[in-house]
Amino acid sequence: MMIKKYALQNAVKHKKPPRVDAVVKKLISEQPELKNEIRNLIPVIKEVVAEVSELGMERCEEELRALAPELLIELSSEVGERREGVLPPLPRIEWGVVMRFAPNPNGPPTLGSARGIIVNSEYARRYKGRFILRFDDTDPVLKRPLLEAYDWYLEDCEWLGAKPDAVVIASERLEIYYEHARRLIELGGAYVCFCSREEFKRFKDAACECPHRNTSVEENLEHWERMLDWEYEPGQAVLRVKTDMQHKDPALRDWVAFRILKATHPRPSVADKYCVWPTLDFESAIEDHILGVTHIIRGKDLMDSEGRQRFLYKHFGWKYPVTILWGRLKIHEFGKLSTSELRRRIESGEFDGWDDPRIPTIRALRRRGFEPEAIRRFFLSLGVSESDVAISLKNLYAENRKLIDEKANRYFFVTSPQELRLVKDSEEFRGVARALLHPSRKDFREIEVHGSVLISGDDARTLDVGDTLRLKYLCDVEIVSKDPLTARVLGFEAEAKAAGAEGKKKPIIQWVPAENHIYVVVKRPEIEKPEEHGIGEPLIKREVGNVVQFERYGFVRIDSAEDGTVVAYFTH
């Protein structure tokens, strides 16, 4: 399956049958561990390439979109321009385009939130319309907002290149919803219901009207005012929208528009000012009309919301926005971690906070060193489709690597360090390595060595007497003793290269000077391995705030450097 998606991608990208060598190169680039298996895979690759070559270009793109839609992003230009063609055109744009993203701020934006932010803002940008960020925060009990999350959304939207044209906070607009509720009652489109939840369910399931449905407008207005005056308890009374009690879908029958919740809202301007709160379907429907929203992108699992809201719009005589449905997004590495579940685990101390690298928030990805443009490309490549999408973060890693590889300086870092003594002509070896900061630039860093280096414990365990290897940028050595681990210096790396001594290719490993190094803690995204400890070369501490590459380890963002210890967050 992996071979086929890369063959399809190559065919779509170049508009001609795929090449075997291009597929091989892509496999090794994205899955370096396959390098030693390529010879065995060549017959399979040739067979798949032949199959794809028989498909037309249109069929290739269809199959790629179904198999790995994220790979369509490879069709973007090399300079990283956004590929607008990935998003299908919006229908019915003759009256303009106003898009909205409406989160419940019970936590910061997650990767799922980022998809909505990016796609909605991109459509608004494309059509020179407006992008509105609206906080649907009218449930202070079950979906209780987190006060800090309001600012986090604003920060992350701006960081993602999706600064909203307007920001609306629903909890501070309750009087507007109350006015519409009164008007709806006066139109005969709503009534105060005193049935318990269980009682109304029996009426609903039997497709029968409840006893309160035909109460007069005057009585309903009186009951409504008593609800607002705190005269009823939670569960004692609700305001229902009249729909069709014989509707084939019970979920659409006389749904709840307002309920009583006696709880303090976390926003100081709201606090305990109100006890009657609109449901999301009512609040969202009213706001979409007031704000002039023209197109709504929502999950296909929320189709019932549209059905309920259309009854409300019919009562008011309004025109419903264009609705576009998209499928669920599942990211393999995170499974089904809801914001509520994340909040519970953070409050219990299981995670360090909302930027813990083990959780799928934008704050966590920022701290790990991801570029906002990589996240934008990643989500725009998925397009808008009703098909469910299951993808791996490896696709996001590939996008981010394109952006950071050219600017990330290189440094040495080793885990489980073990000392390797160096001798030359029976004396302690001393030297200075002139190491490249980046392979495509002529910037160097100098690393002094006085007698010993520290190498990775994993590398040390593979060494035996007589083995030769290269300490990168320093010298070639031959192991002469295992206890203590000692190596004879054969010559500086430059000398070894000049000698043209090819022979058996030597393994090349990274190292850190034994006398001058810093301790490094790497915060990792794996649940089972949240931290890794090691040592690094001293110049790493000057890179605070930057993404660097630890050679043969990965990209990391240097988060802090205090008291001789560097804390880095693993990127990928």
Side-chain angles (χ1 to χ4, degrees):
M1 196 65 72
M2 182 168 59
I3 294 171
K4 185 174 182 179
K5 71 180 185 181
Y6 291 138
L8 288 167
Q9 183 195 29
N10 185 257
V12 172
K13 184 175 183 178
H14 298 289
K15 305 298 182 186
K16 60 184 180 181
R19 301 196 332 265
V20 171
D21 62 325
V23 176
V24 169
K25 184 178 178 181
K26 187 69 176 179
L27 280 171
I28 294 175
S29 171
E30 302 296 337
Q31 306 282 339
E33 64 272 16
L34 293 178
K35 189 173 183 179
N36 296 330
E37 302 293 328
I38 284 297
R39 184 170 296 178
N40 297 330
L41 289 173
I42 287 294
V44 180
I45 295 172
K46 287 182 177 178
E47 183 179 341
V48 173
V49 165
E51 291 177 3
V52 172
S53 298
E54 296 296 319
L55 304 174
M57 285 300 105
E58 186 175 340
R59 178 74 181 279
C60 282
E61 185 157 358
E62 287 177 2
E63 291 206 12
L64 181 60
R65 189 177 297 278
L67 181 64
E70 68 278 2
L71 292 187
L72 287 172
I73 195 64
E74 295 294 340
L75 301 178
S76 59
S77 68
E78 293 299 320
V79 296
E81 295 177 356
R82 296 168 186 162
R83 181 175 175 260
E84 295 189 3
V86 172
L87 293 181
L90 287 177
R92 291 159 52 189
I93 61 170
E94 56 273 15
W95 301 109
V97 171
V98 178
M99 311 296 296
R100 53 84 161 166
F101 178 68
N104 176 6
N106 60 336
T110 62
L111 274 172
S113 308
R115 185 188 188 193
I117 291 169
I118 289 167
V119 171
N120 279 284
S121 67
E122 186 70 11
Y123 271 129
R125 182 196 68 82
R126 179 186 297 186
Y127 292 102
K128 296 180 173 58
R130 298 181 75 231
F131 170 55
I132 297 171
L133 176 65
R134 188 181 74 226
F135 293 110
D136 287 346
D137 59 345
T138 57
D139 187 343
V141 179
L142 294 180
K143 295 283 186 178
R144 186 170 177 79
L146 185 66
L147 197 55
E148 302 95 319
Y150 295 86
D151 288 337
W152 289 342
Y153 266 97
L154 294 173
E155 292 169 7
D156 287 353
C157 281
E158 188 160 358
W159 183 73
L160 288 167
K163 186 176 180 180
D165 298 297
V167 178
V168 175
I169 300 173
S171 63
E172 297 183 347
R173 293 159 65 87
L174 261 64
E175 297 295 343
I176 294 174
Y177 314 139
Y178 292 167
E179 290 172 12
H180 283 82
R182 290 188 187 94
R183 182 180 167 197
L184 187 62
I185 295 171
E186 291 168 352
L187 291 170
Y191 62 97
V192 176
C193 176
F194 294 94
C195 295
S196 68
R197 185 177 298 180
E198 294 75 17
E199 288 171 334
F200 189 82
K201 186 178 187 305
R202 287 196 291 270
F203 289 118
K204 182 174 71 173
D205 292 345
C208 296
E209 297 180 357
C210 90
H212 314 102
R213 195 176 198 267
N214 295 312
T215 304
S216 69
V217 169
E218 291 73 21
E219 286 183 89
N220 276 311
L221 286 172
E222 181 183 346
H223 293 317
W224 170 247
E225 292 301 328
R226 292 181 67 183
M227 284 178 67
L228 297 180
D229 289 339
W230 297 70
E231 294 188 26
Y232 299 124
E233 295 300 317
Q236 189 176 352
V238 297
L239 184 71
R240 292 188 181 277
V241 176
K242 286 185 181 179
T243 60
D244 177 1
M245 286 301 289
Q246 282 78 46
H247 196 282
K248 63 181 180 179
D249 185 354
L252 273 58
R253 297 172 186 167
D254 285 16
W255 52 275
V256 174
F258 285 85
R259 73 283 202 212
I260 297 170
L261 299 172
K262 293 187 176 180
T264 301
H265 196 280
R267 289 193 69 82
S269 57
V270 181
D272 55 2
K273 190 175 179 180
Y274 304 102
C275 70
V276 178
W277 293 89
T279 57
L280 180 59
D281 282 332
F282 187 90
E283 172 263 310
S284 179
I286 299 301
E287 285 291 5
D288 285 339
H289 175 73
I290 294 173
L291 298 172
V293 171
T294 60
H295 298 74
I296 299 171
I297 302 176
R298 60 162 50 108
K300 63 182 182 182
D301 54 323
L302 298 176
M303 290 176 64
D304 283 349
S305 288
E306 179 178 348
R308 286 189 283 266
Q309 291 176 343
R310 281 188 177 277
F311 279 106
L312 186 60
Y313 271 54
K314 186 177 180 180
H315 284 307
F316 285 121
W318 298 341
K319 184 178 180 181
Y320 200 76
V322 177
T323 303
I324 300 167
L325 301 177
W326 59 12
R328 292 183 180 89
L329 172 67
K330 180 182 178 183
I331 298 176
H332 297 307
E333 287 82 352
F334 291 115
K336 295 182 179 179
L337 283 176
S338 68
T339 302
S340 298
E341 174 67 8
L342 289 175
R343 184 171 179 174
R344 183 191 66 78
R345 294 170 75 172
I346 289 170
E347 290 173 350
S348 71
E350 184 177 348
F351 294 136
D352 293 336
W354 289 104
D355 56 3
D356 188 301
R358 294 168 289 178
I359 63 177
T361 61
I362 300 304
R363 300 186 73 75
L365 293 180
R366 289 176 68 178
R367 198 162 193 186
R368 286 173 60 184
F370 281 82
E371 293 283 329
E373 184 59 27
I375 300 173
R376 288 189 64 87
R377 293 184 193 178
F378 175 67
F379 282 116
L380 291 176
S381 73
L382 301 181
V384 178
S385 167
E386 288 192 42
S387 301
D388 292 341
V389 180
I391 53 177
S392 169
L393 279 181
K394 289 181 179 179
N395 301 295
L396 176 56
Y397 297 165
E399 286 304 320
N400 199 59
R401 187 183 300 118
K402 297 173 192 174
L403 298 171
I404 65 175
D405 187 58
E406 286 302 311
K407 57 185 180 182
N409 288 333
R410 273 50 168 176
Y411 293 97
F412 293 149
F413 164 77
V414 298
T415 57
S416 305
Q418 182 169 337
E419 185 178 13
L420 173 62
R421 298 171 62 187
L422 302 177
V423 295
K424 186 175 185 181
D425 301 329
S426 301
E427 294 183 359
E428 185 180 77
F429 172 78
R430 291 174 177 267
V432 178
R434 197 161 181 259
L436 281 170
L437 269 174
H438 193 283
S440 66
R441 301 196 300 266
K442 294 301 181 182
D443 298 330
F444 294 90
R445 64 195 196 273
E446 292 189 346
I447 313 171
E448 294 186 10
V449 174
H450 301 280
S452 296
V453 295
L454 297 169
I455 64 174
S456 163
D458 290 338
D459 288 331
R461 280 188 287 276
T462 68
L463 299 177
D464 207 345
V465 173
D467 289 346
T468 59
L469 66 146
R470 177 167 296 167
L471 299 176
K472 191 169 185 179
Y473 297 124
L474 182 61
C475 59
D476 287 358
V477 300
E478 178 186 7
I479 304 301
V480 296
S481 170
K482 287 276 287 181
D483 189 18
L485 189 61
T486 305
R488 178 171 61 90
V489 174
L490 302 177
F492 280 101
E493 182 185 52
E495 295 171 350
K497 288 180 178 178
E502 295 296 331
K504 184 180 178 182
K505 193 171 182 179
K506 300 178 180 67
I508 302 173
I509 66 172
Q510 79 276 28
W511 50 274
V512 173
E515 290 189 350
N516 185 20
H517 58 261
I518 55 175
Y519 293 96
V520 179
V521 178
V522 180
K523 303 280 189 178
R524 296 186 58 88
E526 297 88 358
I527 297 291
E528 68 280 359
K529 187 181 181 182
E531 285 188 0
E532 190 160 28
H533 296 252
I535 58 171
E537 55 181 285
L539 290 180
I540 293 173
K541 62 186 178 184
R542 69 181 183 180
E543 296 278 4
V544 173
N546 296 331
V547 174
V548 303
Q549 186 186 78
F550 285 166
E551 301 208 26
R552 294 176 68 215
Y553 184 82
F555 292 98
V556 300
R557 177 185 165 275
I558 306 304
D559 192 72
S560 64
E562 298 175 0
D563 301 324
T565 298
V566 163
V567 176
Y569 278 69
F570 189 74
T571 311
H572 47 70

